[in-house]
Amino acid sequence: MASADVHPASEPARCVFLFRRHLDRIRTRAGPFTDPDSFSGEAVAGAMETMKILVIGAGGLGCELLKNLALSGFKDIHVIDMDTIDISNLNRQFLFRQSDVGSFKAEVAAKFVEKRVKGVKITPHNCRIQDFDEDFYMQFQLVVCGLDSIEARRWINATLVNMVNEDVEDSYKPLIDGGTEGFKGQARVILPTVTSCIECQLDMHAPRAAVPLCTLASIPRQPEHCIEWAHVIAWDQEKPFPSLDKDDPEHITWLYQKALLRAHEFNIPGVTYSLTQGVVKNIIPAIAATNSVIAAACCNEVFKIASNCAPFLGYPDNNYMMYSGNDSIYTYTFKHEKKDDCPVCGNLARKLDVDPTWTLRELVESFAVRPEAQLKKPSIRAQFKTLYMQSPASLEEQTRPNLDKTLTELGLTDGEEIGVTDPAFATVSFKFKLKFKQSD
Amino acid sequence: MLKIWSMKKEQQKAENAEGAAGGGKKKKVTAAQLRVQKDLSELSLGSTMKTEFPDPDDILNFVLYIEPDEGMYRGGRFSFTFNITPNFPHEPPKVQCREKIYHPNIDLEGKVCLNILREDWKPVLNLNAVIVGLQFLFLEPNASDPLNKEAAEDLRLNREGFKRNVRTAMNGGSVKGQSFEKVLK
Ligand SMILES: [Zn+2]
């Protein structure tokens, strides 16, 4: 009956138009989950349109997120990504074309979505998230992450948690985080200081093969150690090319040859060219369909939080959705508990089982393999004792002899707290409470 | 949107009801110490700077040496004491030059005029920012922010003369009736 609708002529514009109309049916009408007393459809639509949303990452997930958010009716979106477009991105990062290769992802993605979805403003930032301070992050109501790096996630998580001021409602920025690895992925919502945070959930990520530098430098045991040594140490010493291009076969060949020599020296079999490539590039396959499923789930959460049309992840209980497309399709949603001893959102130190007869070196190396830490260059202090500092140089020199002393010799006692820091995790520092193994 | 606010308030009520959790009185790492430790482990000093810790167990007090390799102060060796209070990073570190030097932004007692050491300090800044700032003072002494007014005046009115005076002072000579410490290596 109401056929007097005027549809825009072009096909994409027409789709957007129809989409909007369906969207308003959801956000401007009361549903079973809305509070009947205070609901105002106008207010919800108005709030969504003035809300400022930050998207971190404009890669596989980011492209999907930007498209979804723009079509969901958000009008003021910022996007941060420091990367430029590589030809290998084009199969799944659908906002990019061959002519965009070499341009900044954030910039190209913003332009593309702005062109397709009328009325949305997308502000690109071609830089690292660490280039901004709290004042910048304070302007957003919601932060959505589509990142492939755990380090960046931890950084933004710690930043958002630190920004919370209990007396200021606006200082609580929900973080909606998506992640994919091959056919698997997860979508989660973090309400800083209220629900479990990224740092609390770090054990959900499989540990990376992080090897302490001292091991690489002195006692390699595996082919990967030889490759990492070539990559981290030999390259810096010899600088065969001005900067390492992991896509340049000549560079990979140089690393492979170096690793091979070292492997011979230590009698370690198994160094190959393709292993070298895999280790150096830290290759994880990316599947377009996984990205779109996870981005859709994230965007759904953003929409629910912003419009209050339905309960969202993090409220009241479940905060973590995992997805697997490995064997048919499977999802599972659960509550990941906040950790009281989280180094970011909790105040307490976590327990660390140690043997008092360990040398400090053994303790230092143990941090590289602990799944919740994975620290490559840990510096360690007790409140009144500097145990080992990797930097600055003079302090490293002064504390190096401690590495060969046992924890007891260093005067550490059962129940004492130590602080552990690592330059890779700028905003994170760890506190551990030593728990001595009883000797008998 | 946010139901988070009301959730938080409920959570706080519950926590208060539970009473303070029994934290042991064992030696704990304070937030300031942990933050300084973090800042130190991220420090990038380059070849012109060096630290010295009189007591390595006390990371709140140390000395920074700067040996500028360019600019008017090239060839000198300057040292600064860093004193960090337990209130760090809410309060900036206290920094003082140990030598008596001829510099528009450093007075004869060694006090340093650097915006981020006072007015522009923010807890998001770190020790590296301060150190970069100090290094910059030797590359670009700044006449509009004077702490040693005579030196600032000198720099503003007669840049070449100022340069000569800097060399004289660095060599342990006297400038305008003041004798200075020899800082040339
Ligand atoms: Zn946490």
mmCIF file of all heavy atoms in Angstrom, chain A residues 348 417 433, chain B residues 20-26 28:
data_model
loop_
_atom_site.group_PDB
_atom_site.id
_atom_site.type_symbol
_atom_site.label_atom_id
_atom_site.label_comp_id
_atom_site.label_asym_id
_atom_site.label_seq_id
_atom_site.Cartn_x
_atom_site.Cartn_y
_atom_site.Cartn_z
ATOM 1 N N LEU A 348 45.689 -6.710 43.046
ATOM 2 C CA LEU A 348 46.526 -7.661 43.763
ATOM 3 C C LEU A 348 47.562 -8.295 42.852
ATOM 4 O O LEU A 348 47.364 -8.396 41.649
ATOM 5 C CB LEU A 348 45.642 -8.762 44.352
ATOM 6 C CG LEU A 348 44.598 -8.275 45.349
ATOM 7 C CD1 LEU A 348 43.628 -9.390 45.679
ATOM 8 C CD2 LEU A 348 45.279 -7.758 46.594
ATOM 9 N N GLU A 417 56.587 -9.609 47.196
ATOM 10 C CA GLU A 417 56.074 -9.223 45.891
ATOM 11 C C GLU A 417 57.201 -8.756 44.984
ATOM 12 O O GLU A 417 58.122 -8.082 45.437
ATOM 13 C CB GLU A 417 55.100 -8.058 46.085
ATOM 14 C CG GLU A 417 53.853 -8.153 45.265
ATOM 15 C CD GLU A 417 52.910 -7.010 45.587
ATOM 16 O OE1 GLU A 417 53.133 -5.899 45.117
ATOM 17 O OE2 GLU A 417 51.949 -7.260 46.328
ATOM 18 N N LYS A 433 53.373 -12.388 43.470
ATOM 19 C CA LYS A 433 53.674 -12.680 44.860
ATOM 20 C C LYS A 433 54.370 -14.032 44.863
ATOM 21 O O LYS A 433 53.790 -15.039 44.436
ATOM 22 C CB LYS A 433 52.359 -12.738 45.638
ATOM 23 C CG LYS A 433 52.522 -12.703 47.116
ATOM 24 C CD LYS A 433 51.160 -12.495 47.759
ATOM 25 C CE LYS A 433 51.288 -12.512 49.259
ATOM 26 N NZ LYS A 433 49.984 -12.215 49.879
ATOM 27 N N ALA B 20 37.542 -4.804 53.560
ATOM 28 C CA ALA B 20 38.818 -4.836 52.854
ATOM 29 C C ALA B 20 39.368 -6.252 52.820
ATOM 30 O O ALA B 20 39.393 -6.930 53.832
ATOM 31 C CB ALA B 20 39.803 -3.903 53.533
ATOM 32 N N ALA B 21 39.763 -6.692 51.652
ATOM 33 C CA ALA B 21 40.341 -8.021 51.533
ATOM 34 C C ALA B 21 41.661 -8.056 52.281
ATOM 35 O O ALA B 21 42.398 -7.084 52.288
ATOM 36 C CB ALA B 21 40.549 -8.364 50.067
ATOM 37 N N GLY B 22 41.959 -9.174 52.929
ATOM 38 C CA GLY B 22 43.150 -9.257 53.758
ATOM 39 C C GLY B 22 44.421 -9.280 52.941
ATOM 40 O O GLY B 22 44.873 -10.323 52.522
ATOM 41 N N GLY B 23 45.016 -8.128 52.728
ATOM 42 C CA GLY B 23 46.283 -8.083 52.016
ATOM 43 C C GLY B 23 47.410 -8.287 53.016
ATOM 44 O O GLY B 23 47.415 -7.663 54.067
ATOM 45 N N GLY B 24 48.338 -9.164 52.689
ATOM 46 C CA GLY B 24 49.431 -9.444 53.608
ATOM 47 C C GLY B 24 50.268 -8.197 53.835
ATOM 48 O O GLY B 24 50.253 -7.281 53.024
ATOM 49 N N LYS B 25 50.988 -8.169 54.919
ATOM 50 C CA LYS B 25 51.830 -7.003 55.167
ATOM 51 C C LYS B 25 53.235 -7.225 54.656
ATOM 52 O O LYS B 25 54.149 -6.495 54.992
ATOM 53 C CB LYS B 25 51.825 -6.680 56.669
ATOM 54 C CG LYS B 25 50.539 -5.973 57.021
ATOM 55 C CD LYS B 25 50.283 -5.812 58.503
ATOM 56 C CE LYS B 25 48.873 -5.316 58.734
ATOM 57 N NZ LYS B 25 47.850 -6.246 58.209
ATOM 58 N N LYS B 26 53.357 -8.256 53.818
ATOM 59 C CA LYS B 26 54.648 -8.531 53.207
ATOM 60 C C LYS B 26 55.063 -7.366 52.317
ATOM 61 O O LYS B 26 54.247 -6.570 51.899
ATOM 62 C CB LYS B 26 54.543 -9.805 52.359
ATOM 63 C CG LYS B 26 54.788 -11.064 53.164
ATOM 64 C CD LYS B 26 56.253 -11.209 53.446
ATOM 65 C CE LYS B 26 56.515 -12.515 54.213
ATOM 66 N NZ LYS B 26 57.930 -12.618 54.571
ATOM 67 N N LYS B 28 55.534 -5.063 49.594
ATOM 68 C CA LYS B 28 54.787 -4.908 48.355
ATOM 69 C C LYS B 28 55.479 -3.918 47.438
ATOM 70 O O LYS B 28 56.146 -3.002 47.888
ATOM 71 C CB LYS B 28 53.381 -4.401 48.657
ATOM 72 C CG LYS B 28 52.519 -5.452 49.292
ATOM 73 C CD LYS B 28 51.069 -5.210 48.936
ATOM 74 C CE LYS B 28 50.235 -6.411 49.337
ATOM 75 N NZ LYS B 28 48.844 -6.234 49.015
#
